[in-house]
């Protein structure tokens, strides 16, 4: 039973029960095995997240959990390299601003090594996409991450031969652990006790900017961005971080 627009040498007719309730008949690309009925879109995948923010990591953890993927996390470049010496994840998501260096260095290393993992960059920096792709990343995830369906699509488009129905209608916003947000803010406050040098300010601006965007905190995101322009933005950033910590401690 041919279907217009789907040549038989490329697509094959499936007559059994479809995935996630998809009724027969349906068509799959030739050579692609239909998934089990009801299987989660990312079932069986291992994702390594290289991310120093606990709050951003918790949001990614929830998306992976709801999608069927297993998440492992590294907070630094050195931890990520240790992970990669012992196992090969299906997907590596690398934040660009890390405590011990720039994430695009790791992206470039993985791109040159060509060891089979799908490598994606992530950042709250508006210029992050350009930097990650230039380093060799196959794709990019803006902070805050897209909704659950958008997250699944972002990974699936780089996994040829894997067919899945994304979780449409599951809601766009992921509510990460508020205690993780408090931990990130406390970490930033410790970094600001002593006047940071230019390199530390860049890291702090990137770290807090990403946290703020995941939290939907526009004022904090603006203050973090202003820090990149000079040390005079530090007093306002200190006040905002202190206020956010006090707000969180009331609940």
């Amino acid at each position: 039973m041919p279907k217009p627009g789907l040549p038989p040498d490329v697509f094959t007719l499936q007559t059994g029960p479809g995935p996630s309730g998809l009724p027969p008949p349906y068509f799959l690309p030739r050579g692609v095995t239909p998934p089990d009925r009801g299987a989660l879109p990312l079932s069986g995948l291992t994702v390594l997240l290289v991310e120093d923010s606990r709050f951003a990591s918790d949001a990614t953890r929830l998306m992976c959990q709801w999608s069927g993927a297993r998440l492992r996390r590294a907070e630094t470049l050195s931890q990520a390299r240790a992970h990669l010496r012992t196992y090969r994840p299906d997907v590596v998501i690398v934040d660009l601003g890390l405590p011990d260096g720039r994430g695009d260095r790791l992206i470039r290393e993985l791109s040159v090594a060509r060891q089979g993992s799908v490598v994606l960059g992530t950042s709250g920096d508006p210029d992050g996409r350009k930097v990650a792709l230039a380093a060799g990343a196959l794709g990019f995830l803006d902070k805050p991450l897209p909704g659950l369906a958008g997250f699944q699509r972002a990974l699936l488009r780089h996994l040829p031969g894997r067919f899945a129905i994304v979780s449409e209608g599951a809601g766009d916003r992921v509510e990460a652990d508020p205690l993780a947000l408090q931990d990130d803010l406390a970490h930033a406050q410790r970094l600001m006790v002593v006047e940071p040098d230019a390199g530390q300010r860049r890291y702090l601006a990137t770290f807090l900017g990403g946290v703020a965007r995941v939290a939907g905190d526009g004022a904090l995101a603006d203050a973090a961005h202003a820090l990149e322009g000079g040390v005079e933005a530090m007093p306002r950033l200190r006040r905002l971080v202190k206020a956010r910590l006090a707000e969180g401690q009331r609940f």
Side-chain angles (χ1 to χ4, degrees):
M1 183 178 67
K3 184 174 181 178
L6 297 179
D9 59 330
V10 178
F11 290 86
T12 56
L13 174 68
Q14 307 292 321
T15 56
S20 303
L22 187 67
Y26 63 99
F27 292 79
L28 288 180
R30 181 173 292 280
V32 173
T33 302
D36 295 335
R37 183 180 177 87
L40 294 171
L42 305 181
S43 290
L45 293 182
T46 298
V47 176
L48 173 62
L49 175 66
V50 189
E51 170 64 74
D52 54 335
S53 164
R54 279 199 60 202
F55 192 57
S57 296
D58 194 59
T60 308
R61 177 188 65 81
L62 291 172
M63 291 206 183
C64 285
Q65 179 180 324
W66 296 340
S67 303
R70 178 172 57 253
L71 180 72
R72 295 186 178 184
R73 179 190 171 210
E75 295 186 3
T76 64
L77 293 174
S78 60
Q79 287 181 9
R81 292 181 179 117
H83 276 279
L84 291 164
R85 283 194 294 269
T86 59
Y87 73 98
R88 186 64 51 210
D90 300 288
V91 179
V92 184
I93 302 174
V94 184
D95 183 41
L96 296 185
L98 296 165
D100 56 344
R102 295 286 302 171
D104 47 297
R105 288 174 51 195
L106 179 60
I107 292 173
R108 189 169 289 106
E109 290 171 15
L110 294 173
S111 176
V112 170
R114 297 182 180 275
Q115 294 178 327
S117 299
V118 171
V119 182
L120 307 175
T122 185
S123 177
D125 184 344
D127 295 326
R129 179 181 298 275
K130 179 174 63 177
V131 172
L133 295 180
L138 294 179
F140 185 80
L141 296 169
D142 288 297
K143 292 182 180 179
L145 294 177
L148 182 59
F151 175 75
Q152 292 166 357
R153 287 196 193 94
L155 272 61
L156 288 169
R157 70 169 54 101
H158 301 293
L159 295 165
R162 185 181 181 92
F163 178 82
I165 303 298
V166 299
S167 302
E168 300 286 4
D172 288 332
R173 187 163 178 82
V174 173
E175 297 294 339
D177 184 357
L179 292 178
L181 175 58
Q182 290 289 291
D183 283 348
D184 282 350
L185 293 171
H187 173 60
Q189 189 176 56
R190 288 191 294 271
L191 293 176
M192 292 188 286
V193 169
V194 178
E195 199 69 41
D197 60 25
Q200 292 167 332
R201 286 200 304 273
R202 283 194 298 272
Y203 168 71
L204 184 60
T206 301
F207 175 78
L208 269 179
V211 170
R213 287 178 175 85
V214 175
D217 190 332
L220 185 60
D222 289 344
H225 180 68
L227 185 62
E228 296 179 358
V231 70
E232 61 274 7
M234 185 64 75
R236 180 186 175 216
L237 193 59
R238 284 195 178 103
R239 288 194 299 272
L240 280 174
V241 169
K242 182 178 180 180
R244 298 300 187 267
L245 281 166
E247 291 167 5
Q249 290 164 2
R250 291 204 302 266
F251 298 99

